C-alpha cells in the first residue's frame, strides 16, 4: 500500500513563508516536492522577455509616431508656402529661402521627439528620405506640381528640384544618420546650411547693393548675415541640445570655436564656386570639416 502523501500547506501565506528546500535535500526529497526546472526556466524566460519587450515596443511606437508627426509637419510647411507663392502673397525667391531655413531648423528641433534607441535615427531619417523621393518624382517629371516648383526653386523650373533642393535633403539625411543629436558637428553643420546660408540670401537680396570684389553675386551685407545668423543659430541649437542633456557644452571654449566655424562657412559661401559646387554641398562639408577639427565629437 502506497505511503500517504504529506498534506500540502493550506494557504497561500504558508506557501510564501515555507522554508525552501536546500540543495542537499533535493536528491532525497519526494518527487512532488522537486522543482519542475523547465517550468521555472520558462517562467523566468517569459518574465525577462516581457520586461525587455515592453520598453522596446514603447520606443517603437514613439519613434513611429514621431516620424509620422514630423513628416506631416514638413509636408505642411512646404504646402503652406506653395499656397502663399501660388497666390502671390510671398515672392518666389523669399519663399524658397524661408522654406530653406525653417525646414532645417524644425527638423533639427524635432530630434528629441524620438526615443533613445539605437534605431531612432533611422526613423528620423525617413523624413528627408521621403522628401528626397518626392523631389526625384517631380524633378524627373513623373508627376507635376507647379506650386512645389515655384516655392522651392530659383527660376521655377522642375529640373531645379534635382539640384539645390535635392542636395539639401540629401545633406539632412547624411547628418541625421552619421552625426545625430549627440554630436555638435551635425548640429552646427545643419545650422550653418539652413540658417546661415538661408539668411545670407534673404538679407543679401534686399540690402546687398555693395558686392564683394571677387564675387559680384555675393554682397558684404549678405556675408555678414551669413556669419551672424549661422553663429547665433549654431549657439542656440547647441544650447537646446545641451539643455536636454544630449551634449555638454563648455561655453568658454565653444564660443571661440563657433566663431571660427562661422568664418570658415562664410568664406566658403563667398567663393565663386556656385557654378561648380552648390552651396548646399560646399557649406555643410566645410562646416563638418572645421567643426570636426575644432570640436572633435564633443562640444567641450
Amino acid at each position: 500500500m502506497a505511503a500517504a502523501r504529506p498534506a500540502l500547506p493550506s494557504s497561500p501565506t504558508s506557501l510564501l513563508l515555507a522554508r525552501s528546500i536546500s540543495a542537499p535535500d533535493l536528491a532525497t526529497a519526494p518527487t512532488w516536492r522537486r522543482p519542475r526546472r523547465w517550468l521555472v526556466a520558462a517562467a523566468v524566460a517569459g518574465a525577462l522577455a516581457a520586461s525587455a519587450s515592453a520598453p522596446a515596443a514603447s520606443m517603437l511606437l514613439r519613434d513611429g509616431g514621431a516620424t509620422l508627426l514630423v513628416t506631416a509637419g514638413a509636408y505642411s510647411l512646404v504646402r503652406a508656402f506653395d499656397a502663399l507663392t501660388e497666390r502671390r502673397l510671398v515672392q518666389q525667391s523669399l519663399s524658397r529661402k524661408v522654406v530653406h531655413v525653417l525646414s532645417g531648423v524644425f527638423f533639427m528641433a524635432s530630434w528629441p521627439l524620438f526615443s533613445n534607441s539605437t534605431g531612432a535615427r533611422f526613423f528620423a531619417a525617413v523624413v528627408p528620405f521621403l522628401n528626397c523621393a518626392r523631389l526625384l518624382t517631380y524633378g524627373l517629371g513623373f508627376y507635376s506640381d507647379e506650386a512645389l516648383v515655384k516655392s522651392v526653386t530659383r527660376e521655377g523650373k522642375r529640373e531645379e528640384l534635382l539640384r539645390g533642393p535635392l542636395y539639401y535633403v540629401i545633406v539632412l539625411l547624411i547628418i541625421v544618420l552619421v552625426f545625430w543629436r549627440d554630436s555638435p558637428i551635425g548640429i552646427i553643420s545643419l545650422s550653418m546650411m539652413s540658417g546661415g546660408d538661408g539668411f545670407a540670401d534673404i538679407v543679401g537680396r534686399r540690402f546687398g547693393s555693395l558686392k564683394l570684389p571677387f564675387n559680384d553675386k555675393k554682397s558684404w551685407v549678405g556675408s555678414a548675415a551669413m556669419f551672424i545668423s549661422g553663429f547665433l543659430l549654431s549657439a542656440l541649437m547647441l544650447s537646446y541640445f545641451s539643455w536636454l542633456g544630449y551634449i555638454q557644452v563648455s561655453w568658454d571654449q565653444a564660443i571661440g570655436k563657433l566663431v571660427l566655424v562661422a568664418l570658415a562657412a562664410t568664406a566658403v559661401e563667398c567663393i565663386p564656386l556656385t557654378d561648380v559646387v552648390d552651396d548646399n554641398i560646399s557649406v555643410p562639408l566645410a562646416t563638418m570639416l572645421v567643426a570636426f577639427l575644432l570640436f572633435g565629437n564633443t562640444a567641450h
Side-chain angles (χ1 to χ4, degrees):
M1 183 174 179
R5 175 179 291 185
L8 289 172
S10 60
S11 69
T13 303
S14 61
L15 283 173
L16 293 175
L17 297 178
R19 181 179 66 87
S20 61
I21 303 175
S22 61
D25 296 334
L26 287 175
T28 59
T31 304
W32 68 271
R33 293 184 65 188
R34 294 177 187 174
R36 302 299 191 266
R37 295 185 180 181
W38 66 273
L39 289 175
V40 174
V44 172
L48 291 176
S51 63
S53 62
S58 176
M59 289 182 180
L60 186 64
L61 288 174
R62 175 177 173 178
D63 291 334
T67 300
L68 292 175
L69 180 63
V70 178
T71 300
Y75 180 80
S76 299
L77 174 66
V78 175
R79 295 308 301 180
F81 279 92
D82 290 351
L84 292 174
T85 305
E86 192 172 17
R87 297 178 182 179
R88 302 183 184 276
L89 297 176
V90 177
Q91 293 179 354
Q92 181 177 335
S93 59
L94 179 60
S95 170
R96 180 175 64 90
K97 280 303 178 180
V98 172
V99 170
H100 179 102
V101 173
L102 294 181
S103 295
V105 174
F106 286 163
F107 178 56
M108 184 165 39
S110 74
W111 290 350
L113 294 176
F114 296 86
S115 73
N116 292 326
S117 69
T118 55
R121 69 177 68 199
F122 298 102
F123 279 90
V126 169
V127 181
F129 176 79
L130 291 177
N131 280 321
C132 182
R134 183 185 180 203
L135 291 172
L136 286 171
T137 298
Y138 292 115
L140 293 173
F142 294 116
Y143 296 97
S144 62
D145 190 337
E146 292 301 321
L148 172 65
V149 172
K150 290 180 180 178
S151 65
V152 300
T153 62
R154 189 184 300 272
E155 299 177 3
K157 300 177 181 179
R158 67 170 177 81
E159 293 82 3
E160 292 182 78
L161 295 175
L162 303 177
R163 295 194 288 271
L166 181 61
Y167 302 151
Y168 183 90
V169 295
I170 289 175
V171 170
L172 290 183
L173 184 61
I174 292 172
I175 286 176
V176 74
L177 289 176
V178 176
F179 299 108
W180 196 213
R181 61 195 174 195
D182 55 355
S183 170
I185 300 174
I187 296 169
I188 297 170
S189 300
L190 185 48
S191 298
M192 289 293 174
M193 181 182 71
S194 58
D197 186 45
F199 279 106
D201 188 85
I202 293 172
V203 175
R205 284 180 180 275
R206 288 180 174 270
F207 308 106
S209 56
L210 185 59
K211 303 297 183 181
L212 296 175
F214 53 87
N215 189 352
D216 58 3
K217 295 182 179 179
K218 307 290 183 179
S219 64
W220 286 104
V221 68
S223 296
M226 166 82 180
F227 172 80
I228 294 171
S229 59
F231 172 83
L232 291 178
L233 183 58
S234 296
L236 177 64
M237 297 312 298
L238 285 178
S239 298
Y240 173 65
F241 286 101
S242 174
W243 178 66
L244 292 172
Y246 294 107
I247 59 175
Q248 294 180 352
V249 181
S250 299
W251 287 108
D252 56 336
Q253 302 177 34
I255 293 296
K257 294 178 181 180
L258 277 181
V259 169
L260 294 177
V261 173
L263 282 174
T266 302
V268 170
E269 198 267 345
C270 291
I271 299 173
L273 293 175
T274 306
D275 295 334
V276 180
V277 182
D278 192 273
D279 288 345
N280 289 328
I281 297 177
S282 60
V283 170
L285 285 180
T287 306
M288 288 177 197
L289 175 61
V290 178
F292 176 77
L293 294 176
L294 294 176
F295 287 95
N297 203 38
T298 67
H300 290 289

